[in-house]
């Protein structure tokens, strides 16, 4: 007999925690919608300590697909070994990216991940991002070893080689958002375009985008992706330093973590190699335009550090700034957040 308790949808997470604590939550079955306002949480026995609306019997319950922990347990992995396996991963096109750290028997974990994701054919261990060109450090763990793929998000296609160019799966919502905030025929400057992370969704939305990328490998995919997505007519790809571009824009995207640094900044607001990134952005942004500034910030300095740097740069340029939305995109590293400021600059 497959039992479930009916609870209000807004209370479901708290009730699951209560059922787990009581030892009666059945995580082998999926949660099922009961009606517009309530869901059915699967249980192994009638709860005695958890509140619920009613107890029901389920016909033909839907079982959860096995997870990585289940597969490794079936293959003889101990609790201690499974604790060292990746707790999360991302599927990018046909490639699985995972953080293996001190995981034992990586090839076995890679094979298990391929069993979980039939659409993938390669598993990569993800390291850091190195150098001025933000080049990824990855190694093949299992599968065919083909690191080149086409990844699709919200209709946008990204061709890329994950062994040569970076791709941040955690920025998915921000990439989609940028395609929603632009207006048709709006002029946009994307200063750190990469393979078209933000430029492609904006161009697909009808904006006229100048996308600048310094890394020749990323630039090659940027140009290819403009063709792949059918936006070559309104996406101008520029290979070079974004601080040297002259492009009048209604909106500027600064998608680099150190965008507010811009290298060694002198008292006059310029770096040794030319104008700083923020100075260049303001030079191109029309009065009343919108600036999207990404930054990696220690938790203790949110939001003071990025806001003070942005305000100081605008003051230096004789511009006024009004900071609107402040968003956390994802965790960048331990104690450091990847954030974005949206600002109107006059």
């Amino acid at each position: 007999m497959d039992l479930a308790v009916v609870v209000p949808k807004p209370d479901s997470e708290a009730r699951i925690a209560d059922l787990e604590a009581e030892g009666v939550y059945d995580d082998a079955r999926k949660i099922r919608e009961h009606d517009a306002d309530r869901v059915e949480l699967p249980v192994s026995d009638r709860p005695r300590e958890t509140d619920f609306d009613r107890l029901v019997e389920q016909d033909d319950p839907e079982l959860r697909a096995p997870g990585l922990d289940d597969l490794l347990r079936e293959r003889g992995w101990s609790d201690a070994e499974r604790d060292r396996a990746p707790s999360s991963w991302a599927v990018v096109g046909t490639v699985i990216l995972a953080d293996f750290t001190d995981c034992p028997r990586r090839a076995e974990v890679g094979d298990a991940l391929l069993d979980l994701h039939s659409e993938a054919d390669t598993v990569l261990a993800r390291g850091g991002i190195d150098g001025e060109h933000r080049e990824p450090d990855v190694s093949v763990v299992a599968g065919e070893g083909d690191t080149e793929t086409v990844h699709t998000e919200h209709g946008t296609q990204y061709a890329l080689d994950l062994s040569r160019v970076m791709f941040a799966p955690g920025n998915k919502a921000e990439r989609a958002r940028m395609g929603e905030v632009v207006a048709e025929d709006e002029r946009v400057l994307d200063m750190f375009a990469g393979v078209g992370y933000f430029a492609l969704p904006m161009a697909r939305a009808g904006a006229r985008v100048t996308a600048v990328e310094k890394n020749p490998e990323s630039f090659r995919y940027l140009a290819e992706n403009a063709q792949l997505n059918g936006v070559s007519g309104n996406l101008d790809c520029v290979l070079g330093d974004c601080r040297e571009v002259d492009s009048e824009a209604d909106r500027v995207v600064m998608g680099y973590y150190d965008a507010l640094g811009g290298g060694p900044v002198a008292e006059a607001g310029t770096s040794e190699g030319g104008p700083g990134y923020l100075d260049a952005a303001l030079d191109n942004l029309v009065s009343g335009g919108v600036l999207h500034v990404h930054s990696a910030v220690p938790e203790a300095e949110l939001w003071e550090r990025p806001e003070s740097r942005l305000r100081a740069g605008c003051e230096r340029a004789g511009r006024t700034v009004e900071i609107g939305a402040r968003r956390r995109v994802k965790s960048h590293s331990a104690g450091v957040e990847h954030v974005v400021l949206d600002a109107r600059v006059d």
Side-chain angles (χ1 to χ4, degrees), residues 88-141:
S88 64
W89 53 89
V91 182
V92 181
T94 55
V95 179
I96 299 172
L97 283 174
D99 297 318
F100 282 83
T101 57
D102 65 341
C103 175
R105 308 207 300 275
R106 290 184 172 194
E108 292 183 30
V109 176
D111 289 338
L113 287 171
L114 290 173
D115 288 341
L116 286 176
H117 301 281
S118 58
E119 71 275 26
D121 58 29
T122 297
V123 179
L124 296 181
R126 177 170 50 189
I129 303 294
D130 299 320
E132 181 184 8
H133 288 166
R134 295 174 286 169
E135 296 165 344
D137 175 21
V138 299
S139 58
V140 176
V141 169

Side-chain angles (χ1 to χ4, degrees), residues 273-284:
Y277 295 132
L278 180 56
D279 301 285
L282 296 174
D283 284 345
N284 286 281

Side-chain angles (χ1 to χ4, degrees), residues 47-207:
R48 298 186 181 279
E49 301 172 10
T50 303
D51 293 333
F52 58 90
D53 292 353
R54 56 182 296 207
L55 184 71
V56 297
E57 292 185 24
Q58 291 183 329
D59 296 324
D60 300 321
E62 189 175 357
L63 299 179
R64 289 184 182 275
L68 178 61
D69 191 73
D70 300 314
L71 292 183
L72 295 179
R73 183 187 297 110
E74 291 172 3
R75 297 174 191 190
W77 280 52
S78 68
D79 291 347
E81 288 175 322
R82 296 199 311 276
D83 286 343
R84 295 164 60 191
S87 59
S88 64
W89 53 89
V91 182
V92 181
T94 55
V95 179
I96 299 172
L97 283 174
D99 297 318
F100 282 83
T101 57
D102 65 341
C103 175
R105 308 207 300 275
R106 290 184 172 194
E108 292 183 30
V109 176
D111 289 338
L113 287 171
L114 290 173
D115 288 341
L116 286 176
H117 301 281
S118 58
E119 71 275 26
D121 58 29
T122 297
V123 179
L124 296 181
R126 177 170 50 189
I129 303 294
D130 299 320
E132 181 184 8
H133 288 166
R134 295 174 286 169
E135 296 165 344
D137 175 21
V138 299
S139 58
V140 176
V141 169
E144 298 179 4
D146 185 359
T147 57
E148 191 169 34
T149 189
V150 176
H151 177 64
T152 303
E153 284 181 2
H154 299 98
T156 300
Q157 294 178 285
Y158 298 92
L160 71 165
D161 186 335
L162 289 162
S163 70
R164 295 178 176 272
V165 300
M166 66 163 285
F167 189 84
N171 294 0
K172 181 177 180 178
E174 188 67 15
R175 287 190 286 270
R177 195 186 77 88
M178 294 310 298
E180 298 168 355
V181 299
V182 294
E184 189 170 357
D185 288 330
E186 187 175 66
R187 300 167 298 175
V188 179
L189 171 63
D190 185 353
M191 295 179 68
F192 308 93
V195 302
Y197 314 112
F198 304 123
L200 291 169
M202 292 188 291
R204 290 184 65 236

